[in-house]
């Protein structure tokens, strides 16, 4: 006969203001062996109360009526484990998120619902069997996806702790978006000086295998032993021979040029190109979609002139090390690399919304640009070598307006705040004033958000420099016949509409998760939250863990953040990975499929439906414990030969009957 203890949490007033806790105690006192309540069941005194009841044999099954198990399930399990009981003889009834928070206006019905949820938990806990964690050897290596500031920081921290790191970057060079910047707020220190040294350190660290111009195709397995398949794109350049001199990038004909991604479309690059002046690795890449096949020499072919001499394209001729070989057949799949890792850090960064989305801001005008494009104008490696000029005519603007919250805090696009726009607009405006004091500068904001150390002072200094901060939403922009732009807005401080004529407009468009990051999330099973970013397991308690065990998040793929926050999160992710992999074996929850071999008919249905290839059928079905995710699809077995440990058909049925009974 099992002995059940019921522990009801008030959660301060979160639960007790809605659910009648005294009523619950009175109702359940004859239905369980022990029933107790506490103001905060997640506190140390309450934890000790549970542990003491278990250790003194008063109870051998525990039901907690509190918040979501996502918050404190491990905490409560530890009380059972410390007292010498299987930690999986625990069930949580969520009477906060699923009861008091959603039925606050009807306390009587909320209390009745709480009774049903607790009854269901009691019915289930009666069916539970003692379980032990599964233990596996761990692969002491890590995959980091994304070579920006977050990915590089995490990679270096892990490498310094002795872990082998595979750093996969989709672009031909690491560095991310930060390498495009001129300065970083609030100190206005040199972005290249910060990033370039990290790039070199990553490239020269023997514990880091840098795999650029490559994308993750597939991830199988589980925490401790993920099998990763990476596709490395074909470059048509032998990177072992390429010395990064750039000679091949200057000989393509004009029709083989396109807007340069590194300069955000403000300059052009050729079909043969090196991503940036600071590229690491600094190697040339061939763009087959842009190539015009000079001399009618198509990729994958050889062409000979009269007399038998082989024709070489301009890029082949220009290369001093003979690193370019266009006779190679085009292979769109590239080279496939396979390796195993124990954990994964996803640090795939962000993108900003394109200006074309905002027709009301005259986005067709070349003098309306995004803030990321203006970063390239400010940069000494940009299209104007850092001179503040309009790209359209090469002239210095007399007035510039910066507009914040373009796509952010807007119910038409994103309701969230992109967090860094106010401060990088202040930075850009200050840089304009420092370099060209005679340019009139305006910033149009809903309000200025500058919380944190040194940031309010950064804002005040911008005002002192004569930058006009106009508080109010901009309704539209008109392009005037003389090429100037008229801002139609509202000044909330004056309480009246205003018009401002300028020569250049910079839009702080919203930060978003890139589409290829969404595709990656689909491939490896990560969750995307309602804001459109990758979802962490818990926003406060586990902010760097994803919803999948062994996969961690770092940087703006999890949400907008500045450089210091990104670096802090990357270091936290690296430390979390190290704390788990720095053991000879790992322990994972035992909620996996279990086969009743006597009932199994080896029909093979479970093998066919398993999305993780975790079941193989020979004489009977056999479950690969490392690969099984406990999803339960195989439990639809027609012979009822498969159950999920901890979630058996008996347990689920008992729960449902208690809920509806």
């Amino acid at each position: 006969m099992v002995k059940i203890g019921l522990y009801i949490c008030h959660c301060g007033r979160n639960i007790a203001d809605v659910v009648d806790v005294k009523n619950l105690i009175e109702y359940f006192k004859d239905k369980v062996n022990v029933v107790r309540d506490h103001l905060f069941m997640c506190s140390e005194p309450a934890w000790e109360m549970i542990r003491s009841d278990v250790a003194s044999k008063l109870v051998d099954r525990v039901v907690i009526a509190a918040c979501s198990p996502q918050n404190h399930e491990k905490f409560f399990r530890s009380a059972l484990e410390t007292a010498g009981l299987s930690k999986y003889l625990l069930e949580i009834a969520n009477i906060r998120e699923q009861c008091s928070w959603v039925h606050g206006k009807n306390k009587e019905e909320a209390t009745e619902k709480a009774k049903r949820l607790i009854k269901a938990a009691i019915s289930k806990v009666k069916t539970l069997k003692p379980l032990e964690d599964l233990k596996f050897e761990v692969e002491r290596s890590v995959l980091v996806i994304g070579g920006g500031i977050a990915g590089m920081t995490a990679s270096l921290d892990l490498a310094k702790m002795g872990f082998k790191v595979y750093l996969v970057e989709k672009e031909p060079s690491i560095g991310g978006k930060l390498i495009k910047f001129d300065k970083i707020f609030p100190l206005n220190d040199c972005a290249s000086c910060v990033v370039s040294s990290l790039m070199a350190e990553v490239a020269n660290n023997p514990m880091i295998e840098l795999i650029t111009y490559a994308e993750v195709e597939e991830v199988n397995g589980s925490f401790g032993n993920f099998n990763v398949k990476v596709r490395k794109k074909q470059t048509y350049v032998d990177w072992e021979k390429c010395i990064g001199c750039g000679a091949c990038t200057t000989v393509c004909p004009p029709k083989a040029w396109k807007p340069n991604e590194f300069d955000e479309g403000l300059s052009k690059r050729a079909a043969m190109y090196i991503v940036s002046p600071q590229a690491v690795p600094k190697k040339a890449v061939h763009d087959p979609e842009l190539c015009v096949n000079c001399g009618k020499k198509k990729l994958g072919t050889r062409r000979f002139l009269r007399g038998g001499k082989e024709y070489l394209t301009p890029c082949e001729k220009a290369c001093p090390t003979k690193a370019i070989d266009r006779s190679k057949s085009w292979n769109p799949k590239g080279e496939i690399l396979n390796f195993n890792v124990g954990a994964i850090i996803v640090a795939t960064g962000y993108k900003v919304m394109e200006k074309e989305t905002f027709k009301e801001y005259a986005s067709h005008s070349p003098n309306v640009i995004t803030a990321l494009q203006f970063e390239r104008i400010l940069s000494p490696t940009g299209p104007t070598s850092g001179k503040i000029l309009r790209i359209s005519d090469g002239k210095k603007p007399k007035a510039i307006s910066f507009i914040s919250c373009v796509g952010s805090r807007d119910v038409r696009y994103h309701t969230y705040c992109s967090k860094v726009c106010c401060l990088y607009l202040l930075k850009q405006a200050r840089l304009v004033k420092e370099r060209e004091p005679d340019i009139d500068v305006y910033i149009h904001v809903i309000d200025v958000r500058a919380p944190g150390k040194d940031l309010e002072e950064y804002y005040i200094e911008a005002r002192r420099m004569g930058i006009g901060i106009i508080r109010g939403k901009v309704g539209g922009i008109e392009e005037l016949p003389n090429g100037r732009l008229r801002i139609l807005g509202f000044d909330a401080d004056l309480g009246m509409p205003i018009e401002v004529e300028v020569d250049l407009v910079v839009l702080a468009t919203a930060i978003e998760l890139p589409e290829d990051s969404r595709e990656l999330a689909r491939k490896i099973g990560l969750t995307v939250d309602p804001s459109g970013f990758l979802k962490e397991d818990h926003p406060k308690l586990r902010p760097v863990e994803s919803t999948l065990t062994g996969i961690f998040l770092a940087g703006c793929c999890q949400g907008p953040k500045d450089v210091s926050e990104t670096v802090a999160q990357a270091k936290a992710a690296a430390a979390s990975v190290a704390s788990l992999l720095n053991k000879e074996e790992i322990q994972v929850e035992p909620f996996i499929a279990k086969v009743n071999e006597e009932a199994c008919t080896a029909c093979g249905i479970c093998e066919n439906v398993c999305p993780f290839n975790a079941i193989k059928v020979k004489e009977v079905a056999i479950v690969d414990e490392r690969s099984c995710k406990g999803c339960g699809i195989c439990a639809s077995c027609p012979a009822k030969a498969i159950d999920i440990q901890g979630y058996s058909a008996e347990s689920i049925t008992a729960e449902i009957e208690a809920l509806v009974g």
Side-chain angles (χ1 to χ4, degrees), residues 152-169:
M152 290 191 295
T153 301
S155 298
L156 284 169
D157 277 17
L158 287 163
K160 290 171 184 173
M161 288 186 271
F163 294 97
K164 166 78 176 178
V165 178
Y166 298 92
L167 175 54
V168 175
E169 167 56 48

PDB file of all heavy atoms in Angstrom, residues 152-169:
ATOM      1  N   MET A 152      32.059  32.746 -31.359  1.00  0.00           N
ATOM      2  CA  MET A 152      33.510  32.779 -31.142  1.00  0.00           C
ATOM      3  C   MET A 152      33.838  32.769 -29.648  1.00  0.00           C
ATOM      4  O   MET A 152      34.759  32.067 -29.210  1.00  0.00           O
ATOM      5  CB  MET A 152      34.105  34.030 -31.803  1.00  0.00           C
ATOM      6  CG  MET A 152      34.085  33.985 -33.322  1.00  0.00           C
ATOM      7  SD  MET A 152      35.074  35.314 -34.068  1.00  0.00           S
ATOM      8  CE  MET A 152      34.170  36.761 -33.556  1.00  0.00           C
ATOM      9  N   THR A 153      33.080  33.556 -28.866  1.00  0.00           N
ATOM     10  CA  THR A 153      33.336  33.611 -27.414  1.00  0.00           C
ATOM     11  C   THR A 153      33.116  32.254 -26.773  1.00  0.00           C
ATOM     12  O   THR A 153      33.949  31.777 -25.980  1.00  0.00           O
ATOM     13  CB  THR A 153      32.406  34.658 -26.766  1.00  0.00           C
ATOM     14  OG1 THR A 153      32.648  35.930 -27.363  1.00  0.00           O
ATOM     15  CG2 THR A 153      32.655  34.755 -25.271  1.00  0.00           C
ATOM     16  N   ALA A 154      31.996  31.603 -27.112  1.00  0.00           N
ATOM     17  CA  ALA A 154      31.706  30.289 -26.536  1.00  0.00           C
ATOM     18  C   ALA A 154      32.763  29.269 -26.953  1.00  0.00           C
ATOM     19  O   ALA A 154      33.223  28.453 -26.139  1.00  0.00           O
ATOM     20  CB  ALA A 154      30.317  29.832 -26.972  1.00  0.00           C
ATOM     21  N   SER A 155      33.179  29.328 -28.219  1.00  0.00           N
ATOM     22  CA  SER A 155      34.178  28.375 -28.721  1.00  0.00           C
ATOM     23  C   SER A 155      35.500  28.529 -27.982  1.00  0.00           C
ATOM     24  O   SER A 155      36.125  27.542 -27.568  1.00  0.00           O
ATOM     25  CB  SER A 155      34.398  28.583 -30.228  1.00  0.00           C
ATOM     26  OG  SER A 155      33.218  28.334 -30.942  1.00  0.00           O
ATOM     27  N   LEU A 156      35.929  29.767 -27.823  1.00  0.00           N
ATOM     28  CA  LEU A 156      37.211  29.996 -27.146  1.00  0.00           C
ATOM     29  C   LEU A 156      37.163  29.575 -25.682  1.00  0.00           C
ATOM     30  O   LEU A 156      38.111  28.959 -25.172  1.00  0.00           O
ATOM     31  CB  LEU A 156      37.595  31.467 -27.256  1.00  0.00           C
ATOM     32  CG  LEU A 156      38.136  31.898 -28.622  1.00  0.00           C
ATOM     33  CD1 LEU A 156      38.232  33.409 -28.721  1.00  0.00           C
ATOM     34  CD2 LEU A 156      39.497  31.259 -28.899  1.00  0.00           C
ATOM     35  N   ASP A 157      36.060  29.881 -25.006  1.00  0.00           N
ATOM     36  CA  ASP A 157      35.945  29.486 -23.595  1.00  0.00           C
ATOM     37  C   ASP A 157      36.002  27.969 -23.454  1.00  0.00           C
ATOM     38  O   ASP A 157      36.674  27.441 -22.555  1.00  0.00           O
ATOM     39  CB  ASP A 157      34.638  30.018 -23.007  1.00  0.00           C
ATOM     40  CG  ASP A 157      34.766  31.478 -22.562  1.00  0.00           C
ATOM     41  OD1 ASP A 157      35.721  32.127 -22.996  1.00  0.00           O
ATOM     42  OD2 ASP A 157      33.908  31.938 -21.784  1.00  0.00           O
ATOM     43  N   LEU A 158      35.290  27.264 -24.335  1.00  0.00           N
ATOM     44  CA  LEU A 158      35.286  25.795 -24.264  1.00  0.00           C
ATOM     45  C   LEU A 158      36.655  25.218 -24.618  1.00  0.00           C
ATOM     46  O   LEU A 158      37.130  24.271 -23.987  1.00  0.00           O
ATOM     47  CB  LEU A 158      34.210  25.231 -25.201  1.00  0.00           C
ATOM     48  CG  LEU A 158      32.773  25.418 -24.700  1.00  0.00           C
ATOM     49  CD1 LEU A 158      31.775  25.221 -25.834  1.00  0.00           C
ATOM     50  CD2 LEU A 158      32.482  24.434 -23.576  1.00  0.00           C
ATOM     51  N   ALA A 159      37.285  25.804 -25.632  1.00  0.00           N
ATOM     52  CA  ALA A 159      38.610  25.315 -26.032  1.00  0.00           C
ATOM     53  C   ALA A 159      39.619  25.487 -24.900  1.00  0.00           C
ATOM     54  O   ALA A 159      40.461  24.615 -24.643  1.00  0.00           O
ATOM     55  CB  ALA A 159      39.076  26.062 -27.284  1.00  0.00           C
ATOM     56  N   LYS A 160      39.512  26.621 -24.196  1.00  0.00           N
ATOM     57  CA  LYS A 160      40.431  26.865 -23.076  1.00  0.00           C
ATOM     58  C   LYS A 160      40.185  25.907 -21.922  1.00  0.00           C
ATOM     59  O   LYS A 160      41.068  25.685 -21.090  1.00  0.00           O
ATOM     60  CB  LYS A 160      40.294  28.312 -22.601  1.00  0.00           C
ATOM     61  CG  LYS A 160      40.850  29.322 -23.606  1.00  0.00           C
ATOM     62  CD  LYS A 160      40.501  30.749 -23.207  1.00  0.00           C
ATOM     63  CE  LYS A 160      40.981  31.726 -24.268  1.00  0.00           C
ATOM     64  NZ  LYS A 160      40.515  33.109 -23.996  1.00  0.00           N
ATOM     65  N   MET A 161      38.982  25.345 -21.856  1.00  0.00           N
ATOM     66  CA  MET A 161      38.681  24.359 -20.820  1.00  0.00           C
ATOM     67  C   MET A 161      39.010  22.937 -21.255  1.00  0.00           C
ATOM     68  O   MET A 161      38.713  21.980 -20.542  1.00  0.00           O
ATOM     69  CB  MET A 161      37.203  24.464 -20.418  1.00  0.00           C
ATOM     70  CG  MET A 161      36.889  25.704 -19.607  1.00  0.00           C
ATOM     71  SD  MET A 161      35.184  25.741 -18.990  1.00  0.00           S
ATOM     72  CE  MET A 161      34.353  26.531 -20.348  1.00  0.00           C
ATOM     73  N   GLY A 162      39.566  22.806 -22.470  1.00  0.00           N
ATOM     74  CA  GLY A 162      40.042  21.502 -22.916  1.00  0.00           C
ATOM     75  C   GLY A 162      39.081  20.711 -23.765  1.00  0.00           C
ATOM     76  O   GLY A 162      39.313  19.528 -24.021  1.00  0.00           O
ATOM     77  N   PHE A 163      38.013  21.353 -24.236  1.00  0.00           N
ATOM     78  CA  PHE A 163      37.057  20.634 -25.076  1.00  0.00           C
ATOM     79  C   PHE A 163      37.362  20.872 -26.558  1.00  0.00           C
ATOM     80  O   PHE A 163      37.671  21.994 -26.957  1.00  0.00           O
ATOM     81  CB  PHE A 163      35.620  21.091 -24.792  1.00  0.00           C
ATOM     82  CG  PHE A 163      35.151  20.741 -23.415  1.00  0.00           C
ATOM     83  CD1 PHE A 163      35.205  21.673 -22.389  1.00  0.00           C
ATOM     84  CD2 PHE A 163      34.668  19.471 -23.139  1.00  0.00           C
ATOM     85  CE1 PHE A 163      34.781  21.345 -21.112  1.00  0.00           C
ATOM     86  CE2 PHE A 163      34.233  19.137 -21.869  1.00  0.00           C
ATOM     87  CZ  PHE A 163      34.296  20.070 -20.852  1.00  0.00           C
ATOM     88  N   LYS A 164      37.225  19.817 -27.350  1.00  0.00           N
ATOM     89  CA  LYS A 164      37.323  19.955 -28.794  1.00  0.00           C
ATOM     90  C   LYS A 164      36.072  20.674 -29.299  1.00  0.00           C
ATOM     91  O   LYS A 164      34.947  20.329 -28.917  1.00  0.00           O
ATOM     92  CB  LYS A 164      37.413  18.554 -29.428  1.00  0.00           C
ATOM     93  CG  LYS A 164      37.180  18.499 -30.922  1.00  0.00           C
ATOM     94  CD  LYS A 164      38.388  18.937 -31.713  1.00  0.00           C
ATOM     95  CE  LYS A 164      38.155  18.764 -33.214  1.00  0.00           C
ATOM     96  NZ  LYS A 164      39.307  19.219 -34.006  1.00  0.00           N
ATOM     97  N   VAL A 165      36.245  21.688 -30.152  1.00  0.00           N
ATOM     98  CA  VAL A 165      35.118  22.479 -30.642  1.00  0.00           C
ATOM     99  C   VAL A 165      35.084  22.450 -32.167  1.00  0.00           C
ATOM    100  O   VAL A 165      36.119  22.671 -32.819  1.00  0.00           O
ATOM    101  CB  VAL A 165      35.216  23.950 -30.160  1.00  0.00           C
ATOM    102  CG1 VAL A 165      34.060  24.777 -30.724  1.00  0.00           C
ATOM    103  CG2 VAL A 165      35.218  24.024 -28.641  1.00  0.00           C
ATOM    104  N   TYR A 166      33.913  22.161 -32.725  1.00  0.00           N
ATOM    105  CA  TYR A 166      33.679  22.316 -34.167  1.00  0.00           C
ATOM    106  C   TYR A 166      32.857  23.591 -34.334  1.00  0.00           C
ATOM    107  O   TYR A 166      31.701  23.649 -33.913  1.00  0.00           O
ATOM    108  CB  TYR A 166      32.894  21.134 -34.729  1.00  0.00           C
ATOM    109  CG  TYR A 166      33.614  19.807 -34.606  1.00  0.00           C
ATOM    110  CD1 TYR A 166      33.414  18.980 -33.494  1.00  0.00           C
ATOM    111  CD2 TYR A 166      34.478  19.364 -35.605  1.00  0.00           C
ATOM    112  CE1 TYR A 166      34.066  17.765 -33.380  1.00  0.00           C
ATOM    113  CE2 TYR A 166      35.131  18.146 -35.498  1.00  0.00           C
ATOM    114  CZ  TYR A 166      34.921  17.353 -34.378  1.00  0.00           C
ATOM    115  OH  TYR A 166      35.567  16.143 -34.269  1.00  0.00           O
ATOM    116  N   LEU A 167      33.447  24.619 -34.913  1.00  0.00           N
ATOM    117  CA  LEU A 167      32.744  25.883 -35.126  1.00  0.00           C
ATOM    118  C   LEU A 167      32.323  25.961 -36.589  1.00  0.00           C
ATOM    119  O   LEU A 167      33.160  26.064 -37.489  1.00  0.00           O
ATOM    120  CB  LEU A 167      33.645  27.068 -34.760  1.00  0.00           C
ATOM    121  CG  LEU A 167      33.089  28.475 -35.038  1.00  0.00           C
ATOM    122  CD1 LEU A 167      31.725  28.672 -34.399  1.00  0.00           C
ATOM    123  CD2 LEU A 167      34.059  29.547 -34.556  1.00  0.00           C
ATOM    124  N   VAL A 168      31.003  25.896 -36.812  1.00  0.00           N
ATOM    125  CA  VAL A 168      30.465  25.891 -38.182  1.00  0.00           C
ATOM    126  C   VAL A 168      29.849  27.252 -38.484  1.00  0.00           C
ATOM    127  O   VAL A 168      29.005  27.748 -37.736  1.00  0.00           O
ATOM    128  CB  VAL A 168      29.401  24.782 -38.340  1.00  0.00           C
ATOM    129  CG1 VAL A 168      28.758  24.852 -39.718  1.00  0.00           C
ATOM    130  CG2 VAL A 168      30.031  23.416 -38.129  1.00  0.00           C
ATOM    131  N   GLU A 169      30.298  27.859 -39.566  1.00  0.00           N
ATOM    132  CA  GLU A 169      29.812  29.182 -39.984  1.00  0.00           C
ATOM    133  C   GLU A 169      29.351  29.090 -41.448  1.00  0.00           C
ATOM    134  O   GLU A 169      30.062  28.570 -42.291  1.00  0.00           O
ATOM    135  CB  GLU A 169      30.939  30.214 -39.838  1.00  0.00           C
ATOM    136  CG  GLU A 169      30.699  31.539 -40.517  1.00  0.00           C
ATOM    137  CD  GLU A 169      29.418  32.235 -40.089  1.00  0.00           C
ATOM    138  OE1 GLU A 169      29.165  32.330 -38.882  1.00  0.00           O
ATOM    139  OE2 GLU A 169      28.656  32.659 -40.986  1.00  0.00           O
TER     140      GLU A 169
END
